[in-house]
Amino acid sequence: MREKQKRNRKDRGIPLLVSIITVFGLLAVVVFSVAGKISSEMSASAIQNLSESLNLLQCTIEAILENEADFQKMIAQRIAASEDPKQYICVYDRNERMVKISLILEGQAEGVSNDGSKFTEEELDFSAGRMVDGLPVSQSYLNYMGTWAYTMKCPVMKDGRELGTLYIEYVYDSLDQSLPTGFYNNKAMLYIMDAQSERMVLKPEGMGERSAGHLNLEDFYHANDIQEQEIRDKVEACLQDGKNILFYHDIRGKQSLIYMWSVNGGSIYLIGYVPVEAIQQEGRTVNQNILIVVSVMLIAFFLCCLLYYLNQRQQNKIRKEREAEREQHNKQLAEALQAAQLASNSKTMFLSNMSHDIRTPMNAVLGFTALLGMEAENPVKVREYTKKIMASGQHLLSLINDVLDVSKIESGKVVLNFKKFTLNDLVSSVDAIIRPMADGRKQNFHVEVREIKHEYLMGDETRINQILINLLSNAVKYTQEGGNIWFRIIGLKQRSNQFEHIRIEVEDDGYGMTPEYLETIFDAFTRAENSTTNKVQGTGLGMAITKNIVELMGGTIDVSSEVDRGSIFKVELELRIPEDNADKQFWLENGIRHILIVNSEQEECKNISMLMRDTGIWLDAASDMEEAMTLAEEAGREGYQLVLLDWDGTEGGGIAAAERIRDGLDVSVPILFLASYDAGGMEAALELKNSGILTKPFFVSALKEKILEMQQVGEEDVSEPEECVSLEGLHFLAAEDNEINAEILSEILEMEGASCEIAENGKLVLERFEHAKEGEFDAILMDVQMPVMNGYEATRKIRALTRRDAAKIPIIAMTANAFAEDEKEALDAGMDVHMAKPIDVGQLKKVINKYVQGKG
């Protein structure tokens, strides 16, 4: 019976073996056929690639020649515009491409060169009629440096009359910088030949197998054993007609493809060769890979067959392994499900973190607002910034509901609120928020607005503000102390007269980002992870929100960064221009028709003129005081109704300049100083009669506000003091890890007659309270999110102390965690009351009065 089963297996095995051999035989035939076809197609493709590469080199060289011609025409125009053309030539410096520039005036046979030598055209040969962009080009020659060069000449025209001819000598070596450093892995040869003289004028660096170069075309023939007269005749005909030619020839025992490629209509040629083996290398590689793959497949197949016939139990083992793999796969699915659940939990937890990150800087904004309001003696500048800071803080608060509404962000239900706004208000509010943050880290914050044509625009100001705050606050957080942050708004070329095309740039020289993180920077809940940035708290949602808002506005956002070099974000938006953009009535009502600008920066004057062009105001710009005084004298004492004087760029200092201008104008003419935010010495400027300060960057709306403000000086409303609870004599222990918030809290309490001792974390608060005398502190002001020990744990341990006052001392939570569950957790930990940042001074006094003085 067993012998019969063996015979049956043998009978079944023979046909199967024959079938396998037949199939693989057919497979081998197909593989070798395909390999041959692939080799042929790859060779044809390589020849096509060679032609495309030569075309690219041709276009590159022709573009360089055309650029040289355009540049020479521009130099000719400048010479025509100069008062002394010869002097212009003599002082002109040579560069890497132009080694000599000469000029022969009309009617003269001899001219001058920038090297001081005499110049004539007799040394140059323009008889071949070579042209580049309409300019004649000479035959190639060796110049005084022993380098192959050529000269272009260009007429110098002024008012339709020819003043002379401009000659510029260019060297072929300068082309080497624009050509590739290798050709077919340095197996190919490339020369540049002058077609008229058939001289090799350049052998690009890194091209070819030999260090020595050929001198001319005959030398090229001789070195490569090209003796066939038929080939030489074809080459000569192509050179005469300016055409390209490719032909095969043996070079030093290797079959090669020789090429002669026309450039600039045949005035110069690319000459060289490529070994056929280099062209067919890719085809042979493909065939070898195909054979390797087929061999591996055959070995694997026969090995499987052998294992199948030798040991049936192997199938059972494979089946068991598959079952084990299935179990492992199920385990991995369970782990993935658990990870997904953790990710879902992280989305709910991010709300608390987001609230903390937003409210912490908001506390600084409103805290400094309160300090300014209490310390100021009603100076104009302080009240102005107080108003801006308070408005910025309230604006930041208004964003919280939208930012924390995760379902709205994920479902794309965010709706834009388009309305009219000014770039002045936008820049001022952003500056008011970011500058204190940057100053707190001793960073330099630079604001620049240029080439903007319309200041009034239509858009969602709140959302644009949100974009800027996200980008700039990140720049502050991820830039080291003493670093630089640049905020730029740049006007781009308009695609439509109805829209202003702007680019917003936020740049820093901070820590930078890795290429891997840049790929996921706009994904939600992602943050850069390293030893430096891990110190910065954040939810990782800001960039995702920013990108969504930018795309919702129809804009684009890009980022580039290098580790330890900094980052730059670029946002491009198109915002509609309101139809009633120009407000000419305001200037008529205020009698302003003519304005004098004194500024040495031409770019700033250009920006001012661009923004004021629709107002109907006539602007005069002076680059220095002498020009300004001349304009003032010509216009008369009533010729100008307003003067804009640059504080930094004025000769003799701002005060002296203003006094000189005042002598030539009526005393009623206002003088406004254009000054940067951190300009020094401005207090003295405010003492000048009928003068004021206008902070850069310039905006028309800011100018109008300043004019109205100067008209209403002395009519400021004085608000009545609020009736408040006194904190005189109270002493507090405060837990606060943020230096700015700690400073604000200390200043507020000190102004109210109270004192405060700050600890950086919950553990220090616990230790300080343990060693304090009973009754030394009237209350504890406890932050929640702190390093080492958080506020909840510190409160529980304080309440657990055996001291008599540990259970009854008021503990007030002052934190950026503002959710209902945060308040419940604070009360459960033993705190008396929960106050969310930013801290309201009046509310703080009421709480202290209730829980401190009331219990007393």
Side-chain angles (χ1 to χ4, degrees), residues 469-748:
I469 296 303
N470 278 343
L471 297 177
L472 287 167
S473 62
N474 278 349
V476 173
K477 289 190 291 185
Y478 293 102
T479 300
Q480 65 278 3
E481 288 193 4
N484 293 277
I485 297 167
W486 293 270
F487 168 38
R488 309 183 188 98
I489 298 181
I490 304 171
L492 304 179
K493 182 178 180 181
Q494 291 178 258
R495 297 169 181 159
S496 170
N497 293 332
Q498 298 178 345
F499 290 88
E500 179 82 12
H501 188 192
I502 66 173
R503 180 170 68 231
I504 299 170
E505 294 183 358
V506 174
E507 183 179 2
D508 63 71
D509 56 1
Y511 307 128
M513 294 172 280
T514 63
E516 294 78 14
Y517 177 64
L518 285 177
E519 297 178 359
T520 61
I521 184 174
F522 294 115
D523 296 340
F525 309 104
T526 58
R527 293 182 63 235
E529 297 293 336
N530 58 58
S531 59
T532 302
T533 60
N534 281 344
K535 300 176 183 179
V536 181
Q537 296 182 351
T539 62
L541 192 61
M543 288 297 99
I545 294 175
T546 299
K547 187 174 188 293
N548 287 337
I549 295 175
V550 170
E551 292 180 346
L552 190 63
M553 293 179 176
T556 60
I557 180 170
D558 296 306
V559 57
S560 58
S561 179
E562 292 185 35
V563 176
D564 297 329
R565 297 288 297 273
S567 308
I568 179 170
F569 288 83
K570 296 181 180 179
V571 177
E572 287 197 16
L573 298 173
E574 286 192 289
L575 302 174
R576 181 175 289 276
I577 302 169
E579 295 181 0
D580 56 341
N581 192 17
D583 184 11
K584 299 182 180 180
Q585 189 63 31
F586 172 84
W587 309 101
L588 294 175
E589 292 176 354
N590 289 273
I592 298 178
R593 305 176 306 278
H594 204 174
I595 296 178
L596 174 62
I597 305 172
V598 186
N599 196 326
S600 60
E601 296 292 335
Q602 295 184 359
E603 188 67 25
E604 289 187 9
C605 294
K606 177 182 176 182
N607 291 333
I608 295 174
S609 300
M610 192 176 297
L611 290 172
M612 294 284 292
R613 66 178 182 176
D614 293 332
T615 61
I617 302 297
W618 185 264
L619 301 177
D620 285 340
S623 59
D624 52 40
M625 280 306 303
E626 299 302 326
E627 185 178 357
M629 295 306 298
T630 301
L631 290 174
E633 292 175 0
E634 293 176 354
R637 299 188 63 84
E638 297 182 358
Y640 295 109
Q641 291 78 45
L642 180 65
V643 177
L644 298 178
L645 179 61
D646 183 48
W647 178 255
D648 296 325
T650 305
E651 298 178 358
I655 301 299
E659 291 175 347
R660 289 187 63 187
I661 291 179
R662 175 65 71 199
D663 292 339
L665 297 175
D666 190 87
V667 71
S668 63
V669 176
I671 297 179
L672 294 181
F673 293 96
L674 291 171
S676 57
Y677 177 86
D678 53 355
M682 297 305 300
E683 295 80 5
L686 293 173
E687 297 178 359
L688 294 176
K689 187 175 181 180
N690 202 12
S691 64
I693 299 173
L694 196 61
T695 305
K696 296 180 181 179
F698 174 85
F699 286 106
V700 179
S701 58
L703 176 61
K704 291 164 62 176
E705 291 177 4
K706 180 59 65 175
I707 292 173
L708 293 176
E709 177 186 310
M710 294 178 68
Q711 292 176 352
Q712 298 173 358
V713 171
E715 300 178 2
E716 301 173 351
D717 295 330
V718 181
S719 58
E720 296 182 0
E722 296 182 359
E723 183 179 350
C724 59
V725 181
S726 174
L727 304 181
E728 188 73 25
L730 297 181
H731 187 49
F732 301 93
L733 175 61
E736 180 57 72
D737 62 326
N738 185 281
E739 295 182 2
I740 295 178
N741 292 345
E743 179 184 355
I744 294 171
L745 181 61
S746 299
E747 293 290 340
I748 290 175

Side-chain angles (χ1 to χ4, degrees), residues 102 208 363 440 573 687 766-767 808 850:
S102 308
N363 178 57
L573 298 173
E687 297 178 359
L766 174 63
E767 294 174 354
K808 65 180 182 179
K850 177 179 178 181

Side-chain angles (χ1 to χ4, degrees), residues 75-127:
I75 294 298
Q77 293 175 357
R78 292 184 177 178
I79 293 174
S82 65
E83 296 180 359
D84 188 350
K86 288 187 176 181
Q87 181 66 20
Y88 186 94
I89 293 296
C90 291
V91 300
Y92 202 94
D93 293 332
R94 57 170 288 180
N95 54 39
E96 295 179 355
R97 306 181 75 163
M98 298 190 315
V99 298
K100 186 176 181 181
I101 178 170
S102 308
L103 176 67
I104 298 179
L105 295 178
E106 181 67 17
Q108 297 182 10
E110 187 177 80
V112 296
S113 300
N114 60 337
D115 58 3
S117 64
K118 301 294 184 179
F119 175 81
T120 64
E121 188 181 331
E122 297 176 356
E123 303 172 355
L124 303 175
D125 183 7
F126 291 91
S127 62

Side-chain angles (χ1 to χ4, degrees), residues 198 216-240 245 247-249 258 260:
E198 298 185 349
N216 51 35
L217 183 58
E218 186 62 29
D219 185 41
F220 181 84
Y221 286 151
H222 179 73
N224 297 307
D225 197 25
I226 303 175
Q227 304 298 333
E228 296 82 355
Q229 188 61 39
E230 182 180 357
I231 294 178
R232 292 194 174 198
D233 292 340
K234 288 182 179 179
V235 171
E236 188 65 25
C238 289
L239 293 179
Q240 292 294 332
I245 184 172
F247 60 92
Y248 288 95
H249 198 275
I258 299 177
M260 296 185 179

Side-chain angles (χ1 to χ4, degrees), residues 250-280:
D250 287 335
I251 298 180
R252 290 190 292 279
K254 295 181 181 179
Q255 182 72 7
S256 302
L257 182 62
I258 299 177
Y259 56 86
M260 296 185 179
W261 215 256
S262 170
V263 178
N264 194 34
S267 61
I268 58 177
Y269 267 81
L270 301 175
I271 293 183
Y273 62 84
V274 181
V276 174
E277 63 180 17
I279 297 178
Q280 296 180 344

Side-chain angles (χ1 to χ4, degrees), residues 371-441:
L371 291 177
L372 287 174
M374 287 183 283
E375 289 183 342
E377 298 177 356
N378 295 326
V380 176
K381 186 174 181 180
V382 172
R383 291 194 60 201
E384 177 184 352
Y385 283 114
T386 301
K387 180 181 177 182
K388 290 182 179 179
I389 294 174
M390 184 62 73
S392 300
Q394 296 299 332
H395 168 75
L396 190 56
L397 279 175
S398 68
L399 296 177
I400 292 178
N401 290 334
D402 288 339
V403 174
L404 299 183
D405 191 354
V406 183
S407 61
K408 181 183 292 186
I409 295 171
E410 292 183 344
S411 62
K413 294 181 179 179
V414 177
V415 178
L416 298 178
N417 181 22
F418 288 95
K419 60 181 180 179
K420 185 177 179 180
F421 71 95
T422 69
L423 288 178
N424 175 40
D425 293 339
L426 181 69
V427 173
S428 297
S429 61
V430 171
D431 185 276
I433 295 170
I434 299 301
R435 193 171 295 277
M437 297 170 60
D439 291 343
R441 293 174 58 85

